[in-house]
Amino acid sequence: MSEHGWSWSAEKRLPSTKGAHIPLMEEILQQLQQLGWSRECRDHFGIEMALEESLSNAIRHGNCYDTSKHVLVECKASPDRFWLRVTDEGNGFKPKEVPDCTADENLECPGGRGLALMKAYMTHVEYNKRGNCVTMEKTRTC
Amino acid sequence: MATPRRIKVNESGKVTVVTFNDSKIIDEAEIQEFGQELYDLVEREDRKKIVLNFGNVEFLSSAALGKLIGFDKRVKQHKAELILSNIRPEIYEVFAITKLTKLFVIKDDEADALAAI
């Protein structure tokens, strides 16, 4: 992911408790709004979705609500780009082993939708080898 | 049954019409609660025709989608019928991305849903 003239950045450590990510999500979304990302635009909705899914996955599936573990959130934004990295302290997972939730036979499966939504809304999504860190970027389209 | 906190339940003839009290369905405790309130409609109250009106819903997470899928399974187990309506375009896109448009019957508005159920 390339260097860029970022207007705002933040780094936070979240506890692994239910809902711990929600205030940070709101803070990031407010920053984006101040940078011109309209709440009326699909991009804003998509970033909200990617934040919700990546942060709640890290707390729930990554750290398994273990209060001795934290989630590191690194975020950068400018009027036309958004960048996010979420790292948990769990064992990681292999994204390719997650069943495709959009396949007819998996429509009723419990998981995989968060990953599909992040991929659909973000311009680029990648995982580290261990599978405990997701990095994503969004280029503004509206 | 105690008054539900996450949903509102109304009757339209033999059809149960459900609306959501929260515009954002992301809080895990609230999702658990809203799931249980939906499950109760078929498991405890034996309602057979249900319309979920999403008019109030501006955002929902994949965890909320999971609860809706669980509800759909219970609806089918109890041989009831379920139709979703009034889904905003951005929420409909979430259903489309996850292909849940294939699983659920979705109508544009409540009147269409009531006519179809």
Side-chain angles (χ1 to χ4, degrees):
Chain A
M1 299 201 188
S2 61
E3 287 304 314
H4 181 67
W6 301 105
S7 311
W8 175 80
S9 67
E11 187 175 313
K12 294 265 170 79
R13 283 177 89 229
L14 296 177
S16 299
T17 53
K18 285 181 183 177
H21 61 295
I22 293 175
L24 177 60
M25 266 179 69
E26 273 308 312
E27 183 188 334
I28 293 170
L29 292 170
Q30 279 179 14
Q31 286 292 340
L32 286 171
Q33 206 172 357
Q34 286 175 17
L35 289 169
W37 297 68
S38 167
R39 281 194 185 258
E40 309 306 315
C41 170
R42 179 184 183 272
D43 289 345
H44 195 280
F45 183 92
I47 289 172
E48 184 170 7
M49 183 63 75
L51 282 165
E52 162 58 27
E53 298 301 334
S54 59
L55 297 176
S56 62
N57 275 353
I59 292 170
R60 181 172 49 198
H61 300 302
N63 288 349
C64 302
Y65 301 121
D66 181 342
T67 50
S68 71
K69 294 177 177 174
H70 289 81
V71 174
L72 177 64
V73 184
E74 300 161 83
C75 183
K76 295 185 266 193
S78 76
D80 58 359
R81 296 212 1 226
F82 169 79
W83 181 92
L84 175 72
R85 176 170 287 161
V86 180
T87 309
D88 62 58
E89 297 183 57
N91 295 327
F93 77 110
K94 291 187 168 47
K96 286 182 180 169
E97 292 181 2
V98 175
D100 175 9
C101 68
T102 64
D104 284 350
E105 64 274 21
N106 294 333
L107 287 180
E108 295 185 76
C109 283
R113 285 178 202 86
L115 303 189
L117 290 165
M118 282 188 269
K119 191 176 167 193
Y121 284 113
M122 293 292 103
T123 309
H124 182 78
V125 179
E126 66 182 33
Y127 297 87
N128 68 348
K129 194 174 175 186
R130 177 171 149 187
N132 70 325
C133 174
V134 60
T135 305
M136 62 190 80
E137 189 163 337
K138 175 73 181 172
T139 303
R140 187 169 160 187
T141 62
C142 55
Chain B
M1 176 189 169
T3 306
R5 298 199 312 169
R6 308 262 72 92
I7 59 174
K8 277 196 181 68
V9 179
N10 290 297
E11 309 295 332
S12 181
K14 291 184 176 176
V15 183
T16 300
V17 179
V18 177
T19 52
F20 298 91
N21 292 341
D22 303 299
S23 60
K24 290 193 176 196
I25 308 177
I26 50 173
D27 180 274
E28 282 191 59
E30 290 178 4
I31 289 170
Q32 282 297 114
E33 202 172 9
F34 117 93
Q36 191 57 55
E37 289 173 1
L38 289 178
Y39 297 171
D40 284 349
L41 295 175
V42 289
E43 293 184 331
R44 302 180 76 172
E45 300 177 29
D46 201 29
R47 295 172 188 257
K48 294 297 186 193
K49 293 175 183 283
I50 299 168
V51 171
L52 293 187
N53 180 328
F54 278 76
N56 292 340
V57 179
E58 297 172 0
F59 188 87
L60 82 177
S61 67
S62 68
L65 294 177
K67 279 288 173 217
L68 289 173
I69 293 164
F71 179 53
D72 183 61
K73 283 182 186 170
R74 283 160 171 81
V75 165
K76 287 170 180 160
Q77 283 165 4
H78 286 78
K79 301 195 180 343
E81 290 177 71
L82 172 66
I83 295 184
L84 279 46
S85 76
N86 299 74
I87 299 180
R88 292 165 192 242
E90 57 271 32
I91 300 292
Y92 186 86
E93 189 179 8
V94 173
F95 280 83
I97 289 167
T98 53
K99 297 285 192 287
L100 292 178
T101 44
K102 290 183 181 178
L103 187 68
F104 292 106
V105 177
I106 298 175
K107 297 292 179 185
D108 286 347
D109 57 36
E110 196 175 302
D112 284 354
L114 290 171
I117 201 164

